[in-house]
Amino acid sequence: MQKILGQVATYEGDLFADVLAAERSGPRVVAANEHWTAFVPAAARWPYELQLFPHRRVPDVATLTDAERDAFVEVYLDVLGRFAHRFDEPMNYISSWNQAPVHAGREQWWLHLQLFSFQRAPGKLKYLAGSESGMGAFVSDTSPEGAADALRAVVVP
């Protein structure tokens, strides 16, 4: 719970489930299959940023089924190909898993992977402004929907 202007605001839903439900058929989906959806988050911080969510709540990679692991590879290679061919040269990227804590709160977590690049155009990197570095208030010159459109349009040989 958090206090907002003297009132207590609570969220009674399941945040990860609600985000995935909203994104699975939305305009920011870049790739998907039976078990995974890769989408540009609505509040993307980087010019090209994706989140990959399994369709089932699991706390970590170890709890994925063999079918879910195989399906992940399919979607992951798809989006990596899009990053590699978006510009004339492959984009550098950072990829990181977000897994549940080891001992507490595991049942509340939803495994997901974040993938992003600092590259915003051929030969141009995104540099953080003071508000972004100091306050975490990110500013983007692209829309999440535009980034998703650009990535979907990439033809991977």
Side-chain angles (χ1 to χ4, degrees), residues 45-46 118 126-139:
R45 297 170 297 171
W46 303 103
F118 297 110
K126 162 77 172 155
Y127 291 97
L128 297 183
S131 64
E132 294 166 318
S133 295
M135 302 303 295
F138 281 73
V139 177

PDB file of all heavy atoms in Angstrom, residues 45-46 118 126-139:
ATOM      1  N   ARG A  45      11.793   2.428 -21.395  1.00  0.00           N
ATOM      2  CA  ARG A  45      12.813   3.418 -21.051  1.00  0.00           C
ATOM      3  C   ARG A  45      13.848   3.573 -22.152  1.00  0.00           C
ATOM      4  O   ARG A  45      14.506   4.589 -22.232  1.00  0.00           O
ATOM      5  CB  ARG A  45      13.512   3.010 -19.753  1.00  0.00           C
ATOM      6  CG  ARG A  45      12.569   2.981 -18.566  1.00  0.00           C
ATOM      7  CD  ARG A  45      13.228   2.349 -17.376  1.00  0.00           C
ATOM      8  NE  ARG A  45      13.529   0.947 -17.709  1.00  0.00           N
ATOM      9  CZ  ARG A  45      14.247   0.145 -16.962  1.00  0.00           C
ATOM     10  NH1 ARG A  45      14.782   0.573 -15.852  1.00  0.00           N
ATOM     11  NH2 ARG A  45      14.456  -1.101 -17.319  1.00  0.00           N
ATOM     12  N   TRP A  46      14.015   2.570 -22.980  1.00  0.00           N
ATOM     13  CA  TRP A  46      15.056   2.560 -23.999  1.00  0.00           C
ATOM     14  C   TRP A  46      14.428   2.565 -25.382  1.00  0.00           C
ATOM     15  O   TRP A  46      13.291   2.132 -25.554  1.00  0.00           O
ATOM     16  CB  TRP A  46      15.962   1.343 -23.810  1.00  0.00           C
ATOM     17  CG  TRP A  46      16.560   1.336 -22.446  1.00  0.00           C
ATOM     18  CD1 TRP A  46      16.189   0.572 -21.384  1.00  0.00           C
ATOM     19  CD2 TRP A  46      17.595   2.193 -21.967  1.00  0.00           C
ATOM     20  NE1 TRP A  46      16.938   0.876 -20.284  1.00  0.00           N
ATOM     21  CE2 TRP A  46      17.809   1.875 -20.617  1.00  0.00           C
ATOM     22  CE3 TRP A  46      18.366   3.195 -22.554  1.00  0.00           C
ATOM     23  CZ2 TRP A  46      18.763   2.519 -19.838  1.00  0.00           C
ATOM     24  CZ3 TRP A  46      19.319   3.833 -21.784  1.00  0.00           C
ATOM     25  CH2 TRP A  46      19.511   3.501 -20.445  1.00  0.00           C
ATOM     26  N   PHE A 118      20.809   0.332 -26.201  1.00  0.00           N
ATOM     27  CA  PHE A 118      21.051   1.761 -26.085  1.00  0.00           C
ATOM     28  C   PHE A 118      21.033   2.431 -27.457  1.00  0.00           C
ATOM     29  O   PHE A 118      21.056   3.644 -27.548  1.00  0.00           O
ATOM     30  CB  PHE A 118      22.420   2.036 -25.446  1.00  0.00           C
ATOM     31  CG  PHE A 118      22.537   1.535 -24.041  1.00  0.00           C
ATOM     32  CD1 PHE A 118      23.342   0.453 -23.741  1.00  0.00           C
ATOM     33  CD2 PHE A 118      21.845   2.143 -23.020  1.00  0.00           C
ATOM     34  CE1 PHE A 118      23.450  -0.014 -22.440  1.00  0.00           C
ATOM     35  CE2 PHE A 118      21.944   1.698 -21.714  1.00  0.00           C
ATOM     36  CZ  PHE A 118      22.747   0.604 -21.435  1.00  0.00           C
ATOM     37  N   LYS A 126      21.556   6.135 -27.276  1.00  0.00           N
ATOM     38  CA  LYS A 126      20.735   6.882 -26.320  1.00  0.00           C
ATOM     39  C   LYS A 126      21.614   7.193 -25.119  1.00  0.00           C
ATOM     40  O   LYS A 126      22.135   6.295 -24.482  1.00  0.00           O
ATOM     41  CB  LYS A 126      19.531   6.037 -25.906  1.00  0.00           C
ATOM     42  CG  LYS A 126      18.832   6.458 -24.633  1.00  0.00           C
ATOM     43  CD  LYS A 126      17.978   7.652 -24.834  1.00  0.00           C
ATOM     44  CE  LYS A 126      17.149   7.899 -23.566  1.00  0.00           C
ATOM     45  NZ  LYS A 126      16.757   9.255 -23.441  1.00  0.00           N
ATOM     46  N   TYR A 127      21.812   8.472 -24.847  1.00  0.00           N
ATOM     47  CA  TYR A 127      22.541   8.887 -23.652  1.00  0.00           C
ATOM     48  C   TYR A 127      21.521   9.391 -22.641  1.00  0.00           C
ATOM     49  O   TYR A 127      20.571  10.092 -22.995  1.00  0.00           O
ATOM     50  CB  TYR A 127      23.543   9.992 -23.984  1.00  0.00           C
ATOM     51  CG  TYR A 127      24.687   9.484 -24.825  1.00  0.00           C
ATOM     52  CD1 TYR A 127      24.669   9.645 -26.208  1.00  0.00           C
ATOM     53  CD2 TYR A 127      25.754   8.825 -24.243  1.00  0.00           C
ATOM     54  CE1 TYR A 127      25.707   9.165 -26.991  1.00  0.00           C
ATOM     55  CE2 TYR A 127      26.803   8.340 -25.015  1.00  0.00           C
ATOM     56  CZ  TYR A 127      26.765   8.514 -26.392  1.00  0.00           C
ATOM     57  OH  TYR A 127      27.793   8.033 -27.156  1.00  0.00           O
ATOM     58  N   LEU A 128      21.731   9.036 -21.383  1.00  0.00           N
ATOM     59  CA  LEU A 128      20.796   9.451 -20.349  1.00  0.00           C
ATOM     60  C   LEU A 128      20.955  10.939 -20.044  1.00  0.00           C
ATOM     61  O   LEU A 128      22.065  11.441 -19.896  1.00  0.00           O
ATOM     62  CB  LEU A 128      21.004   8.641 -19.079  1.00  0.00           C
ATOM     63  CG  LEU A 128      20.745   7.143 -19.201  1.00  0.00           C
ATOM     64  CD1 LEU A 128      20.917   6.471 -17.842  1.00  0.00           C
ATOM     65  CD2 LEU A 128      19.370   6.851 -19.767  1.00  0.00           C
ATOM     66  N   ALA A 129      19.829  11.610 -19.938  1.00  0.00           N
ATOM     67  CA  ALA A 129      19.801  13.011 -19.518  1.00  0.00           C
ATOM     68  C   ALA A 129      19.877  13.064 -17.996  1.00  0.00           C
ATOM     69  O   ALA A 129      19.769  12.041 -17.317  1.00  0.00           O
ATOM     70  CB  ALA A 129      18.520  13.669 -20.018  1.00  0.00           C
ATOM     71  N   GLY A 130      20.014  14.256 -17.464  1.00  0.00           N
ATOM     72  CA  GLY A 130      20.103  14.407 -16.010  1.00  0.00           C
ATOM     73  C   GLY A 130      18.894  13.867 -15.281  1.00  0.00           C
ATOM     74  O   GLY A 130      19.014  13.222 -14.243  1.00  0.00           O
ATOM     75  N   SER A 131      17.684  14.120 -15.831  1.00  0.00           N
ATOM     76  CA  SER A 131      16.469  13.624 -15.171  1.00  0.00           C
ATOM     77  C   SER A 131      16.418  12.099 -15.178  1.00  0.00           C
ATOM     78  O   SER A 131      15.901  11.479 -14.257  1.00  0.00           O
ATOM     79  CB  SER A 131      15.223  14.191 -15.851  1.00  0.00           C
ATOM     80  OG  SER A 131      15.134  13.723 -17.190  1.00  0.00           O
ATOM     81  N   GLU A 132      16.975  11.508 -16.218  1.00  0.00           N
ATOM     82  CA  GLU A 132      16.967  10.048 -16.316  1.00  0.00           C
ATOM     83  C   GLU A 132      17.988   9.435 -15.363  1.00  0.00           C
ATOM     84  O   GLU A 132      17.679   8.484 -14.635  1.00  0.00           O
ATOM     85  CB  GLU A 132      17.263   9.625 -17.757  1.00  0.00           C
ATOM     86  CG  GLU A 132      16.154  10.046 -18.705  1.00  0.00           C
ATOM     87  CD  GLU A 132      16.530   9.950 -20.164  1.00  0.00           C
ATOM     88  OE1 GLU A 132      17.667  10.321 -20.533  1.00  0.00           O
ATOM     89  OE2 GLU A 132      15.670   9.500 -20.943  1.00  0.00           O
ATOM     90  N   SER A 133      19.195   9.986 -15.347  1.00  0.00           N
ATOM     91  CA  SER A 133      20.248   9.465 -14.474  1.00  0.00           C
ATOM     92  C   SER A 133      19.958   9.751 -13.011  1.00  0.00           C
ATOM     93  O   SER A 133      20.119   8.885 -12.156  1.00  0.00           O
ATOM     94  CB  SER A 133      21.599  10.092 -14.837  1.00  0.00           C
ATOM     95  OG  SER A 133      21.996   9.716 -16.120  1.00  0.00           O
ATOM     96  N   GLY A 134      19.534  10.965 -12.720  1.00  0.00           N
ATOM     97  CA  GLY A 134      19.367  11.375 -11.330  1.00  0.00           C
ATOM     98  C   GLY A 134      18.045  10.987 -10.702  1.00  0.00           C
ATOM     99  O   GLY A 134      17.980  10.683  -9.518  1.00  0.00           O
ATOM    100  N   MET A 135      16.986  11.020 -11.492  1.00  0.00           N
ATOM    101  CA  MET A 135      15.656  10.821 -10.919  1.00  0.00           C
ATOM    102  C   MET A 135      14.934   9.587 -11.447  1.00  0.00           C
ATOM    103  O   MET A 135      13.855   9.254 -10.975  1.00  0.00           O
ATOM    104  CB  MET A 135      14.783  12.053 -11.200  1.00  0.00           C
ATOM    105  CG  MET A 135      15.361  13.344 -10.659  1.00  0.00           C
ATOM    106  SD  MET A 135      15.670  13.316  -8.875  1.00  0.00           S
ATOM    107  CE  MET A 135      14.024  13.169  -8.254  1.00  0.00           C
ATOM    108  N   GLY A 136      15.493   8.922 -12.454  1.00  0.00           N
ATOM    109  CA  GLY A 136      14.826   7.760 -13.025  1.00  0.00           C
ATOM    110  C   GLY A 136      13.606   8.131 -13.854  1.00  0.00           C
ATOM    111  O   GLY A 136      12.744   7.301 -14.105  1.00  0.00           O
ATOM    112  N   ALA A 137      13.511   9.388 -14.267  1.00  0.00           N
ATOM    113  CA  ALA A 137      12.394   9.864 -15.088  1.00  0.00           C
ATOM    114  C   ALA A 137      12.843   9.821 -16.544  1.00  0.00           C
ATOM    115  O   ALA A 137      13.440  10.765 -17.049  1.00  0.00           O
ATOM    116  CB  ALA A 137      11.989  11.274 -14.683  1.00  0.00           C
ATOM    117  N   PHE A 138      12.586   8.700 -17.200  1.00  0.00           N
ATOM    118  CA  PHE A 138      13.080   8.484 -18.555  1.00  0.00           C
ATOM    119  C   PHE A 138      12.254   9.245 -19.587  1.00  0.00           C
ATOM    120  O   PHE A 138      11.051   9.395 -19.453  1.00  0.00           O
ATOM    121  CB  PHE A 138      13.082   6.992 -18.883  1.00  0.00           C
ATOM    122  CG  PHE A 138      14.252   6.270 -18.290  1.00  0.00           C
ATOM    123  CD1 PHE A 138      14.316   6.006 -16.927  1.00  0.00           C
ATOM    124  CD2 PHE A 138      15.306   5.872 -19.081  1.00  0.00           C
ATOM    125  CE1 PHE A 138      15.399   5.355 -16.372  1.00  0.00           C
ATOM    126  CE2 PHE A 138      16.393   5.222 -18.540  1.00  0.00           C
ATOM    127  CZ  PHE A 138      16.446   4.954 -17.177  1.00  0.00           C
ATOM    128  N   VAL A 139      12.960   9.719 -20.605  1.00  0.00           N
ATOM    129  CA  VAL A 139      12.356  10.444 -21.712  1.00  0.00           C
ATOM    130  C   VAL A 139      12.735   9.694 -22.980  1.00  0.00           C
ATOM    131  O   VAL A 139      13.881   9.308 -23.160  1.00  0.00           O
ATOM    132  CB  VAL A 139      12.880  11.892 -21.781  1.00  0.00           C
ATOM    133  CG1 VAL A 139      12.302  12.619 -22.964  1.00  0.00           C
ATOM    134  CG2 VAL A 139      12.595  12.625 -20.483  1.00  0.00           C
TER     135      VAL A 139
END
